[in-house]
Amino acid sequence: MGIITLTSDWGYTDFYLASVKGMIYKYLPKVNIVDISHSIKAFDIVEAAFIIKNSYSSFPEGSVHIVGVSTEESIKHSHTVVFYDNHYFIGTDNGIFSMIFDSEPEKIVELDVLVDSSFNTFSTRDRFVKAATHLSSGKPIEELGDPKTNLVTKFLFEPSSDKNGIKGIVTYVDNFENLFTNISFDFFNKVVNGKKFEILFNSYKVTEISNSYADVRPGEIVALFASNGMMEIAINKGNASSLLGMKKRSPIIISII
């Protein structure tokens, strides 16, 4: 039996997560359910996209990923099933898929399944679960609805560059308060091209890229490229976000000197 992952902003104190898992097991008792995260900030599709984008490829091909964040359907934002990179994604087409994918998906279907409940406030349990168990059973995506040609597009802030360097921002703060930026390894190397540089943020400065947190002493600031290929600012055994006064969307400047 396949894998169904769950990502949501439900937390762990309410009944939402348990009822979704229970419904999945009702349809597929032997399926494997994996929780990616249920601590997404409420309705924050940018954060959800970041988490899913950086985790889905670690799962076997054919896995089904339910996105339970900002799931309300509208005329512009339909419930949608997507086949991309040999994985299935189920959620609301409100721009979140465009932030997860780096290229056009192979198949897009507007979800058309009946809702058993008399209420329409819990789409993940009442619609997405049906689609997920359908796919995890090996049934074709085409049976879930009519094909769509395009996804709603939401553009993320991209770093800019000129002869003086790079301007970027913090895009994510993890549980250790490490700061992930939108500056990729390839973009950094293309712009800096071996020249001397300074990484500037608030009143702080870093002048080199390290390979690991342990390259600096505990309590010192370190800049490195994380496992997802993006520049990260951290404090070895410390909390960079709090101690440096940095948060999501805080500016990062790389100055070529």
Side-chain angles (χ1 to χ4, degrees):
M1 194 58 67
I3 292 174
I4 296 175
T5 77
L6 298 173
T7 304
S8 79
D9 53 4
W10 305 327
Y12 294 91
T13 59
D14 298 312
F15 64 87
Y16 307 120
L17 177 57
S19 60
V20 167
K21 287 186 174 182
M23 193 64 71
I24 292 172
Y25 285 129
K26 184 179 290 187
Y27 287 115
L28 285 179
K30 296 183 179 180
V31 73
N32 297 299
I33 303 174
V34 178
D35 298 299
I36 292 180
S37 177
H38 299 293
S39 300
I40 306 296
K41 292 181 178 62
F43 311 112
D44 193 336
I45 63 172
V46 176
E47 183 175 306
F50 180 90
I51 296 294
I52 297 168
K53 180 183 181 70
N54 288 289
S55 59
Y56 85 83
S57 61
S58 297
F59 291 90
E61 292 184 353
S63 295
V64 182
H65 307 283
I66 294 179
V67 185
V69 179
S70 195
T71 59
E72 185 173 355
E73 187 177 34
S74 67
I75 294 175
K76 292 183 178 180
H77 301 152
S78 62
H79 290 158
T80 301
V81 184
V82 185
F83 183 61
Y84 170 81
D85 194 23
N86 292 315
H87 289 251
Y88 295 97
F89 300 82
I90 304 167
T92 303
D93 184 17
N94 50 21
I96 191 168
F97 295 124
S98 70
M99 295 186 287
I100 297 172
F101 308 148
D102 292 324
S103 58
E104 292 295 321
E106 291 90 332
K107 296 178 182 179
I108 311 171
V109 168
E110 184 170 336
L111 187 58
D112 182 17
V113 298
L114 295 176
V115 177
D116 294 333
S117 173
S118 301
F119 307 99
N120 297 312
T121 61
F122 202 175
S123 304
T124 305
R125 182 194 64 191
D126 299 331
R127 299 196 82 194
F128 297 174
V129 164
K130 283 188 174 182
T133 54
H134 173 97
L135 294 168
S136 197
S137 298
K139 298 175 183 177
I141 187 174
E142 289 82 3
E143 293 181 0
L144 292 174
D146 295 326
K148 291 176 57 174
T149 56
N150 296 298
L151 293 170
V152 172
T153 301
K154 186 177 180 68
F155 294 101
L156 294 171
F157 186 89
E158 295 291 337
S160 61
S161 66
D162 56 26
K163 64 180 181 180
N164 298 313
I166 299 171
K167 294 180 179 179
I169 62 170
V170 174
T171 57
Y172 183 76
V173 180
D174 72 11
N175 191 54
F176 298 97
E177 295 195 25
N178 300 321
L179 307 167
F180 286 78
T181 78
N182 62 344
I183 302 169
S184 70
F185 176 81
D186 292 338
F187 188 73
F188 174 85
N189 285 329
K190 179 181 178 181
V191 176
V192 175
N193 195 25
K195 303 181 184 72
K196 290 185 178 180
F197 62 90
E198 295 178 336
I199 305 172
L200 308 169
F201 40 94
N202 274 356
S203 57
Y204 302 94
K205 176 173 66 176
V206 176
T207 58
E208 63 181 358
I209 300 294
S210 298
N211 292 316
S212 71
Y213 306 110
D215 285 351
V216 301
R217 291 178 296 182
E220 291 187 349
I221 303 170
V222 60
L224 68 165
F225 285 97
S227 59
N228 65 349
M230 308 305 287
M231 180 177 288
E232 179 183 339
I233 307 296
I235 292 179
N236 185 15
K237 300 187 184 301
N239 306 114
S241 178
S242 298
L243 295 174
L244 303 178
M246 301 286 286
K247 57 185 179 180
K248 286 172 65 175
R249 299 183 179 84
S250 292
I252 302 287
I253 305 295
I254 300 175
S255 178
I256 296 174
I257 56 177

